[in-house]
Amino acid sequence: MANVITDETIEYVGILAKLELSKEEQEQAKKDMGRMLDYIDKLGELDTEGIEPMSHVFPVQNVFREDSIVNSDTREEFLANAPEQKDGMFVVPKTF
Amino acid sequence: MAMIKEYETVIGLEVHVELATKTKIFCGCSTAFGGAPNTHTCPVCTGMPGTLPVLNKQVLEYAIAVGLATGCDITRYGKFDRKNYFYPDNPQNYQISQLYLPICRNGGIEIETQEGGRKTVGIHEIHMEEDAGKLIHDEWDECSLVDYNRSGVPLIEIVSEPDMRDAKEVIAYLEKLRLLIQYLGASDCKLQEGSMRADVNLSVREVGQKAFGTRTEMKNLNSFKAITRAIEGERERQIDLIEAGEAIIQETRRWDDAKGISYAMRSKEDAQDYRYFPDPDLAPIVVSDEMLAKIRAKQPEFRTEKMARYREEYGIPDYDIDIITSAKRMADLFEETVAICHQPKKVSNWLMGETMRLMKEKEIDAQDLHFSPQNLAKLIALTDSKAINGNVAKEVFEVMFDQDIEPEQYVEEHGLRTVNDAGALKKAIEEVIAGNPQSVEDYKNGKEKALGFLVGQTMKAMKGKAEPAMVNQILKEFLS
């Protein structure tokens, strides 16, 4: 494995992903991530000079919708997914 | 003795403007303000898996229109990117925005400087993005509540170059930008209600120094006054740190306008690493010549052109023109009322006088004026025909200003019509003369002021419903 992921990196990625990993999980994640980066390096061997990065898999462009209201109130339906609700809103841990 | 150093403030703005579309940026949910929580939501704007966002064409057109009006280059091949972060106001865990290919770039707005000169504040870019939901902090329980009605409401973010040097320039830039967007009809740009939000990026450096100092970003500024105070406060805070030999930390700060101080919003543990990447759900945007020409053709008359036309067409003083065109709503009211009554100066007087006075008194933004041109024209007709006098007209106008009542009906219902019954007026005058012998005496001895008093007494006896000029005339006849 050419890419070695440091403890700092895995901790940082953990913070970004809001994941708390155990020591074992961290070690496993370091290995997995190293392998992923090796694979990316492999792709990097290809000559992509002058080729625009692809952002969409289909050759489509300008997919628009008109500015007219088509949705109605489906609050009850989607609030049904909430672990907890109050006054028609989702309840989440206190934020500031 | 230490030398007193002089510092220069360097300011750039990030202005978010909520676009006046009927629906959200990527779904057909209403953008109407004030609906019951979560009633304007759907699987797309609540980030349900497997949903597909589709761009609202009007959002693109508004963004391009603002770009054209600010002299920007329009990006002919654009796309959207995902800005990744976790926060409950953002159900997808990413915000759809534009990082790599924003729709507009390299524009500018000309402002007047304090010295009476002009300068251009550069616009780095304008990009389209979606707004987040609203978090409400529960007062009773240790929790927060989320309302996603605002999630997916279209925004444009206008990023200026760090070209401003003090609060006055910032306000001049914001006023110009706001007016331009209002004229375009792309947004009502109300700071108080958050349809226009300005974040201030500020750093200081010693005068003459080329390199920029470390900047901070100030949020939560919802009035021009708060912006001015925050700029002055932050300038001082940074200078104090520099003078004390301390480093300025690049951070986001929240302005508390009531206390007049700011707080650091995010700590170091909150890494700001948004890992942007192109959004694969949204198709690239190709702006054709045809599309651009269409939008260009629809650009409205802007303030400078409007001012020139007013001078030509209406013949009202420059001072009036300046004030009337300073808000789109005011200009619309003016033009629509003049179209009905053909009396530009009289319409202007109502707008410049009573309208401005009541706006100030009631702290109402010009964009919120809601009396109709039809009713203002009717009020002018009522005074022209002397059906009501000037004071009564003002009284009626104030009610109209609040509730847009129909003035003719209001005047009838409240018995405000001027009494043209000469008999009743003469009778009232006779009584006033009889009741105020001293004033009559004074007037006859040459005291002009006494006449004013007698007119006043007569108006009072007539409950304000007489024509003062007529009262004056009859009184003089009686006393001569």
Side-chain angles (χ1 to χ4, degrees):
Chain A
M1 200 161 64
N3 285 282
V4 179
I5 306 297
T6 64
D7 287 338
E8 288 79 46
T9 303
I10 209 71
E11 200 179 322
Y12 179 65
V13 173
I15 291 169
L16 289 179
K18 297 247 187 289
L19 289 177
E20 269 179 52
L21 300 178
S22 69
K23 202 74 211 146
E24 294 77 52
E25 284 168 331
Q26 277 198 12
E27 288 309 314
Q28 188 56 46
K30 274 158 73 178
K31 269 184 222 152
D32 290 347
M33 208 183 285
R35 272 194 219 108
M36 283 178 225
L37 290 180
D38 286 350
Y39 176 65
I40 301 293
D41 286 346
K42 183 82 191 154
L43 291 178
E45 287 169 17
L46 287 169
D47 180 11
T48 53
E49 192 66 33
I51 297 173
E52 279 294 311
M54 185 181 74
S55 64
H56 202 275
V57 287
F58 300 115
V60 289
Q61 60 193 40
N62 293 357
V63 180
F64 302 132
R65 32 170 286 271
E66 294 304 317
D67 185 27
S68 51
I69 298 170
V70 294
N71 294 340
S72 54
D73 175 12
T74 54
R75 178 168 88 175
E76 293 319 312
E77 205 179 317
F78 102 98
L79 267 182
N81 293 314
E84 211 182 325
Q85 52 169 292
K86 185 179 177 182
D87 305 332
M89 289 178 276
F90 284 94
V91 175
V92 296
K94 201 174 181 71
T95 53
F96 52 87
Chain B
M1 202 181 93
M3 286 254 292
I4 296 170
K5 289 177 187 162
E6 264 196 77
Y7 292 93
E8 178 181 55
T9 321
V10 177
I11 309 161
L13 293 185
E14 287 168 28
V15 178
H16 284 90
V17 171
E18 219 176 85
L19 297 177
T21 54
K22 291 190 223 43
T23 62
K24 294 185 176 180
I25 182 168
F26 299 122
C27 61
C29 288
S30 167
T31 54
F33 187 75
N38 291 311
T39 52
H40 300 161
T41 58
C42 75
V44 173
C45 59
T46 52
M48 295 295 164
T51 52
L52 197 63
V54 182
L55 179 62
N56 180 342
K57 197 174 179 190
Q58 185 65 62
V59 172
L60 177 67
E61 290 179 356
Y62 277 148
I64 293 175
V66 175
L68 289 175
T70 50
C72 287
D73 299 330
I74 306 303
T75 306
R76 296 308 197 88
Y77 179 84
K79 47 191 178 187
F80 282 98
D81 304 295
R82 292 183 179 179
K83 176 182 179 176
N84 299 280
Y85 70 95
F86 289 100
Y87 204 66
D89 66 1
N90 163 23
Q92 294 158 152
N93 294 333
Y94 58 83
Q95 177 196 32
I96 304 177
S97 181
Q98 293 192 293
L99 179 75
Y100 299 108
L101 295 167
I103 186 69
C104 313
R105 277 196 275 223
N106 301 326
I109 285 184
E110 197 179 60
I111 57 163
E112 275 157 39
T113 59
Q114 257 182 292
E115 298 79 34
R118 290 174 171 280
K119 84 184 252 188
T120 300
V121 175
I123 287 177
H124 181 75
E125 66 169 65
I126 301 175
H127 60 255
M128 300 175 278
E129 61 184 28
E130 55 179 344
D131 207 347
K134 197 170 86 184
L135 279 165
I136 296 146
H137 305 295
D138 197 281
E139 285 174 52
W140 309 105
D141 295 320
E142 274 295 297
C143 66
S144 297
L145 307 170
V146 205
D147 172 8
Y148 290 118
N149 280 352
R150 216 181 54 192
S151 170
V153 164
L155 303 174
I156 49 171
E157 181 175 343
I158 303 149
V159 184
S160 85
E161 297 291 352
D163 287 343
M164 288 157 279
R165 295 291 173 269
D166 58 38
K168 288 222 170 74
E169 290 185 7
V170 168
I171 303 303
Y173 166 80
L174 282 172
E175 279 181 337
K176 201 94 186 256
L177 185 64
R178 178 171 70 168
L179 193 60
L180 203 139
I181 295 172
Q182 286 174 352
Y183 267 60
L184 281 167
S187 173
D188 56 11
C189 291
K190 290 182 196 161
L191 270 89
Q192 270 82 359
E193 289 177 18
S195 59
M196 184 181 201
R197 314 195 271 267
D199 299 338
V200 172
N201 286 296
L202 185 149
S203 64
V204 295
R205 63 181 171 193
E206 268 185 67
V207 170
Q209 186 186 311
K210 283 263 178 344
F212 290 128
T214 305
R215 67 180 154 86
T216 59
E217 182 182 349
M218 190 77 68
K219 285 187 183 287
N220 193 37
L221 305 166
N222 43 29
S223 69
F224 284 158
K225 272 185 199 155
I227 291 170
T228 303
R229 280 196 286 262
I231 287 172
E232 278 152 15
E234 183 59 9
R235 173 188 153 88
E236 267 173 50
R237 192 188 70 87
Q238 292 191 12
I239 292 173
D240 286 349
L241 283 172
I242 295 169
E243 300 263 297
E246 285 174 49
I248 290 156
I249 303 162
Q250 185 172 338
E251 62 191 356
T252 304
R253 302 181 66 84
R254 185 185 166 82
W255 178 250
D256 184 332
D257 201 46
K259 292 184 184 140
I261 42 170
S262 63
Y263 302 92
M265 265 174 78
R266 296 191 177 109
S267 58
K268 269 185 190 163
E269 291 81 67
D270 268 328
Q272 281 205 53
D273 183 343
Y274 295 124
R275 293 148 292 144
Y276 280 94
F277 65 88
D279 192 307
D281 283 345
L282 285 150
I285 303 158
V286 177
V287 179
S288 64
D289 290 345
E290 193 198 347
M291 196 191 283
L292 213 51
K294 249 189 187 163
I295 297 168
R296 202 170 260 133
K298 274 199 280 186
Q299 292 291 81
E301 172 190 53
F302 287 108
R303 192 182 187 193
T304 323
E305 301 143 39
K306 206 181 258 301
M307 287 172 101
R309 180 168 65 83
Y310 278 23
R311 242 170 249 131
E312 182 100 337
E313 210 168 294
Y314 301 121
I316 54 172
D318 281 359
Y319 180 74
D320 294 29
I321 293 175
D322 193 58
I323 291 180
I324 291 170
T325 57
S326 69
K328 174 68 166 43
R329 176 92 189 115
M330 191 86 107
D332 286 348
L333 272 170
F334 174 75
E335 288 179 38
E336 287 164 29
T337 313
V338 173
I340 304 169
C341 73
H342 309 287
Q343 301 198 79
K345 186 57 192 154
K346 280 188 182 159
V347 177
S348 167
N349 286 348
W350 277 109
L351 294 176
M352 311 265 303
E354 285 305 286
T355 307
M356 293 293 282
R357 183 182 71 79
L358 291 168
M359 273 166 59
K360 200 168 260 178
E361 189 184 297
K362 296 170 194 272
E363 293 184 2
I364 283 172
D365 193 283
Q367 292 303 110
D368 290 328
L369 291 174
H370 63 276
F371 58 84
S372 68
Q374 288 76 12
N375 284 341
L376 179 55
K378 277 183 190 160
L379 185 67
I380 291 171
L382 283 170
T383 50
D384 281 352
S385 66
K386 299 216 172 359
I388 53 173
N389 67 37
N391 286 332
V392 170
K394 281 183 187 171
E395 194 184 312
V396 175
F397 181 78
E398 184 154 353
V399 187
M400 221 173 85
F401 184 94
D402 288 332
Q403 303 158 36
D404 192 31
I405 44 100
E406 206 281 312
E408 279 168 20
Q409 197 188 338
Y410 185 86
V411 164
E412 295 314 325
E413 278 172 11
H414 292 78
L416 297 170
R417 196 170 273 275
T418 302
V419 178
N420 283 320
D421 176 352
L425 187 55
K426 278 183 182 158
K427 191 167 166 277
I429 290 175
E430 277 168 2
E431 281 170 16
V432 167
I433 289 175
N436 297 280
Q438 186 59 49
S439 297
V440 173
E441 181 80 24
D442 288 349
Y443 176 71
K444 286 185 171 162
N445 290 332
K447 271 197 184 170
E448 280 291 322
K449 266 191 188 167
L451 185 69
F453 175 77
L454 293 170
V455 171
Q457 290 303 106
T458 311
M459 287 301 287
K460 203 169 153 190
M462 296 296 294
K463 299 197 171 66
K465 291 182 290 183
E467 192 56 45
M470 199 166 149
V471 174
N472 223 342
Q473 194 196 331
I474 299 175
L475 254 171
K476 275 187 179 165
E477 281 166 19
F478 270 72
L479 297 171
S480 61

